[in-house]
Amino acid sequence: MAAKKEAWSSRLGVILAVSGSAVGLGNFLRFPGQVAEFGGGAFMIAYFAAFILIGLPVCWVEWTMGRAGGRYGYNSAPGIFSAITRIMGTRFLGVIAFVIPVCIYMYYVVIEAWCLAYAVNYIRGVMDFEQSEEAIKFFGSLVGIEKDGAALQVNIEHVGIYFLIVFLLNFFLIYRGIAKGIELFCKYAMPTLVILALVILFRVLTLGTPDPEFPDRNVDTGLGFMWNPSKTYLVERSVSDEGLALTTAEGLPVWNGSDKKEVVAEKNVKMARDMAATNPEKYKVIEKSLYQQLQNPDLWLAAAGQIFFTLSVGFGVIITYASYLRRRDDVVLSSLAATSANEFCEVGIGGLISIPAGVAFFGVAGLASMGLSTFGVGFTVLPMVFAEMPLGQFFGFAFFFLLFLAAVTSSLSMLQPGIAYLEDSLRINRRQSVSILGFVTGIGGVLVIYFSAGLKLLDTLDFWVTNLLMVLLAFIQVVLFGWVIGTKKGLAEAHMGSAIRIPKIFGFIIKFVTPVFLILIFAGWAYKSVFGYTFGSADPEISPKVRDLFYDPSPVSWVAVLLIAFLMLFALLNVPSKQEVRTNINKVDKKGDGI
Amino acid sequence: MSLGGWIVMISSVGGVTWLLIWCIWKVLTTKGETEHIHGFEVDTPDTKVEGDIRRRRD
């Protein structure tokens, strides 16, 4: 009986460890912001399509390629790619997998510091906001959103000091190699975070109408905003300064499209239709079906971007961790278990908390017009929820502190590909590689903290890394797996030691559908964000990110791009030599252990 | 929330919950699976090597 109990506790421990490694800031903070920005139910359809056609296939590809590459003695993508494909040129493609996690770490650690700052300020008892404006102001002041350098003040109300603590903690943990303790700790901390999130979810779903003065601001409307697949907007006629209704040269009415108001509750939809019917000169209703919304490429780009971020695919992290696995360790169920835990936290809990609560407190229009960063929704809406809860200050502290711990495990995992690459390429030991990486990411992190006005450096790094490099890396990996190694051989490698089999249809998806989907996403992003075209309009407008680089150069944008370029160049100059890769291939082939 | 909203919500939340429960069930019922399943373990082999060196030095 005791042995059976021990076996069960060991199995549950493994599940918790796997789940814990998957949960991070993306689930509770980034995802709600994306849903709010791209409008609910239709986003979810695109999100699940991206999950099945990109997330799962790339996940399985990375775990399989990583484990196979580990047999050749490599733990980073340049060595892994060249060893398992036997094409030496792929060493240079693999450097992207070094650049991505290092760049993301530079701003992820800053967001991690925001979480710690929130936890500490809950202990201080200064987070009991009565008005949503107070929450927005606190967040803006903490991160120094007003001007560059504002966050670097060394006091408890600005993020600088927390960044220092978080950064030193990360490198202390990874330098001293006491990771086993963190892992054990996370086994308990992560389930606690999930339980706490479930309690908060219960509170959110029972919020009803928090402010009777605004009966439309309620949870039901919030759920409708999040999940309704079709949208209804009320648009007002544009008027001149003198209050006269505007018309075009052809005599057609000019509508104020930039100020369209989404209406969610059924009675409001009916009211909006009545207003437009009785006063068509002043109002009109735009109704967008699910099909019409899904024709918006921006929505697909955002959904795919979230899948990349949340599942850590195209990150360079999975391939490194999988390379430490043994030949017969399970990669198929491991990746599916981690992925499902992540999706449960994100869709089942994270999304149901912030969006309905945000609508309940700010209203649909208020939430849509908050104009904050992607993460802003989580950092401003959640404190309002806690302020409305019994023991809210305690729950606020516990939630942000546990989120901080979840972020620590994620940020430590982001450092490992960099460490592994330095070990693989420079043949140095772990401590030396940790020191080099600490120096480089320290500079990057301080720059992110310093250039805080409008969070521009953070935003620019995120823009180029997640939209360009991550999609590119994912594409390279599926092409190597599906076309160079071959799906038959690749899937056979994946199934070694696996408790479940990847459905056969995924062979076809990996070879054809995923690469095409990734090309479409990349082309859509380039069309809009690089060449400046707007979907649905033939007139190109220079995209803000391109304008910041070439037309109206912004030093901050150039700092971000040069950081990425410097890391890329460094990595390109230090890839493992051809000779070394070939020697390793021969050794493994002699043992009959090659892919 | 509209009927369509309820359908999307129940199928999304239900879908991810079912997938998680199925994975847990699979891990719990597959013999020897705990030795073969992994997450992003922070304890990588190079950490162990460094740990051994430090312990010997201490």
Side-chain angles (χ1 to χ4, degrees):
Chain A
M1 185 69 190
K4 195 177 174 187
K5 195 176 172 185
E6 192 181 318
W8 271 84
S9 91
S10 150
R11 286 176 179 220
L12 279 171
V14 169
I15 291 167
L16 293 176
V18 172
S19 310
S21 69
V23 179
L25 298 178
N27 305 127
F28 294 102
L29 301 177
R30 192 180 195 271
F31 175 71
Q34 292 284 289
V35 180
E37 194 175 341
F38 291 95
F43 177 88
M44 295 308 299
I45 306 270
Y47 174 86
F48 279 113
F51 172 66
I52 291 167
L53 299 178
I54 296 178
L56 272 180
V58 178
C59 214
W60 278 324
V61 163
E62 289 191 358
W63 279 81
T64 307
M65 287 171 78
R67 186 185 60 176
R71 297 208 293 273
Y72 295 87
Y74 290 111
N75 304 113
S76 59
I80 291 172
F81 286 178
S82 52
I84 62 175
T85 63
R86 293 158 195 248
I87 300 172
M88 295 303 126
T90 55
R91 288 172 303 153
F92 300 106
L93 298 175
V95 299
I96 302 171
F98 162 77
V99 176
I100 293 169
V102 173
C103 281
I104 293 182
Y105 178 83
M106 289 174 185
Y107 63 83
Y108 194 91
V109 75
V110 174
I111 301 166
E112 203 174 304
W114 298 350
C115 291
L116 180 63
Y118 267 57
V120 170
N121 280 288
Y122 267 108
I123 293 178
R124 292 176 63 221
V126 296
M127 303 286 285
D128 199 10
F129 305 123
E130 287 183 4
Q131 301 289 326
S132 54
E133 289 74 20
E134 293 171 35
I136 294 171
K137 194 177 166 197
F138 178 84
F139 176 71
S141 165
L142 178 84
V143 306
I145 212 158
E146 291 295 324
K147 64 172 186 172
D148 288 340
L152 269 181
Q153 299 174 47
V154 184
N155 63 48
I156 211 152
E157 284 169 353
H158 291 88
V159 78
I161 188 79
Y162 301 99
F163 169 75
L164 192 64
I165 294 167
V166 167
F167 191 84
L168 291 176
L169 175 72
N170 269 280
F171 275 89
F172 174 75
L173 292 174
I174 210 143
Y175 189 80
R176 293 285 297 171
I178 52 174
K180 198 76 186 166
I182 312 166
E183 194 186 326
L184 191 72
F185 187 58
C186 287
K187 260 185 199 174
Y188 300 98
M190 290 313 102
T192 314
L193 174 65
V194 172
I195 291 165
L196 200 65
L198 286 169
V199 172
I200 296 163
L201 173 63
F202 177 77
R203 180 63 190 110
V204 167
L205 295 179
T206 54
L207 268 175
T209 308
D211 189 345
E213 279 187 35
F214 297 98
D216 289 339
R217 298 182 181 182
N218 57 59
V219 173
D220 184 59
T221 306
L223 288 171
F225 176 72
M226 168 94 191
W227 298 104
N228 282 354
S230 55
K231 297 275 171 191
T232 307
Y233 300 96
L234 180 66
V235 187
E236 281 189 56
R237 180 89 175 262
S238 293
V239 289
S240 65
D241 293 340
E242 293 80 33
L244 299 171
L246 295 176
T247 51
T248 62
E250 294 82 31
L252 297 170
V254 176
W255 298 101
N256 189 1
S258 61
D259 192 31
K260 62 184 180 186
K261 293 182 179 67
E262 184 177 343
V263 275
V264 178
E266 276 184 37
K267 67 175 174 54
N268 292 344
V269 171
K270 191 174 175 300
M271 200 186 296
R273 284 181 188 141
D274 289 346
M275 281 165 76
T278 53
N279 201 347
E281 291 291 308
K282 196 174 177 194
Y283 299 107
K284 77 168 178 178
V285 167
I286 299 175
E287 303 205 41
K288 286 197 169 178
S289 66
L290 172 64
Y291 178 68
Q292 284 170 319
Q293 288 191 82
L294 289 178
Q295 288 175 332
N296 175 12
D298 289 340
L299 183 141
W300 287 91
L301 293 179
Q306 178 61 22
I307 284 294
F308 273 98
F309 195 91
T310 193
L311 298 184
S312 303
V313 293
F315 237 75
V317 170
I318 293 176
I319 202 161
T320 287
Y321 275 95
S323 73
Y324 297 115
L325 299 181
R326 293 184 300 263
R327 184 185 171 88
R328 297 201 71 78
D329 279 339
D330 186 337
V331 292
V332 182
L333 186 53
S334 290
S335 52
L336 192 64
T339 300
S340 62
N342 184 73
E343 286 304 303
F344 175 74
C345 287
E346 181 154 303
V347 178
I349 306 177
L352 285 176
I353 291 176
S354 299
I355 299 299
V359 172
F361 288 110
F362 300 100
V364 172
L367 188 68
S369 65
M370 282 171 94
L372 293 167
S373 65
T374 306
F375 288 101
V377 174
F379 281 104
T380 49
V381 171
L382 285 174
M384 294 304 300
V385 180
F386 296 130
E388 293 292 318
M389 286 175 71
L391 296 173
Q393 296 299 296
F394 167 75
F395 277 111
F397 158 74
F399 183 80
F400 278 103
F401 187 67
L402 290 168
L403 205 56
F404 160 69
L405 293 178
V408 170
T409 59
S410 298
S411 60
L412 289 178
S413 75
M414 281 175 208
L415 290 172
Q416 191 60 33
I419 293 168
Y421 180 69
L422 293 173
E423 288 173 343
D424 276 357
S425 60
L426 304 180
R427 292 289 157 202
I428 55 178
N429 66 31
R430 183 180 173 85
R431 287 192 160 202
Q432 290 165 325
S433 60
V434 167
S435 304
I436 295 172
L437 201 61
F439 180 71
V440 174
T441 53
I443 292 172
V446 169
L447 289 172
V448 172
I449 288 274
Y450 180 78
F451 292 114
S452 60
L455 302 176
K456 194 168 177 110
L457 186 58
L458 188 158
D459 184 46
T460 312
L461 273 174
D462 183 59
F463 175 83
W464 292 108
V465 173
T466 56
N467 292 306
L468 174 64
L469 296 185
M470 283 171 74
V471 177
L472 199 57
L473 180 62
F475 179 75
I476 291 166
Q477 290 174 146
V478 287
V479 168
L480 291 181
F481 188 94
W483 293 87
V484 178
I485 296 170
T487 45
K488 199 175 168 189
K489 202 170 160 187
L491 291 179
E493 169 71 28
H495 290 146
M496 271 197 313
S498 170
I500 57 169
R501 294 181 73 79
I502 297 172
K504 275 187 181 164
I505 184 74
F506 276 95
F508 177 79
I509 291 175
I510 289 170
K511 188 157 188 171
F512 299 103
V513 182
T514 309
V516 170
F517 200 162
L518 289 169
I519 288 172
L520 288 175
I521 284 173
F522 183 77
W525 170 79
Y527 179 80
K528 181 179 174 244
S529 301
V530 179
F531 299 113
Y533 286 89
T534 305
F535 292 111
S537 162
D539 301 324
E541 278 182 32
I542 300 158
S543 93
K545 294 290 187 293
V546 174
R547 189 189 305 125
D548 283 347
L549 288 177
F550 301 110
Y551 292 87
D552 183 13
S554 152
V556 182
S557 294
W558 274 105
V559 166
V561 171
L562 288 173
L563 259 178
I564 297 169
F566 166 76
L567 288 169
M568 191 73 84
L569 185 67
F570 169 81
L572 282 170
L573 292 174
N574 289 288
V575 291
S577 71
K578 273 186 200 177
Q579 185 60 39
E580 182 201 296
V581 177
R582 287 200 180 113
T583 308
N584 285 342
I585 291 173
N586 289 337
K587 268 190 215 165
V588 175
D589 281 352
K590 270 185 195 164
K591 283 196 281 178
D593 208 16
I595 183 173
Chain B
M1 186 157 60
S2 67
L3 178 65
W6 278 105
I7 292 170
V8 176
M9 184 176 88
I10 290 170
S11 50
S12 300
V13 177
V16 293
T17 309
W18 173 83
L19 186 62
L20 176 64
I21 291 170
W22 185 82
C23 285
I24 293 173
W25 172 79
K26 202 70 195 167
V27 173
L28 294 179
T29 56
T30 305
K31 201 178 169 190
E33 185 57 14
T34 47
E35 289 156 31
H36 296 290
I37 189 170
H38 294 272
F40 294 172
E41 279 89 354
V42 195
D43 198 21
T44 55
D46 52 351
T47 327
K48 286 173 193 155
V49 172
E50 290 293 326
D52 291 344
I53 293 168
R54 199 176 52 251
R55 273 191 292 278
R56 277 201 298 272
R57 200 180 55 217
D58 293 344

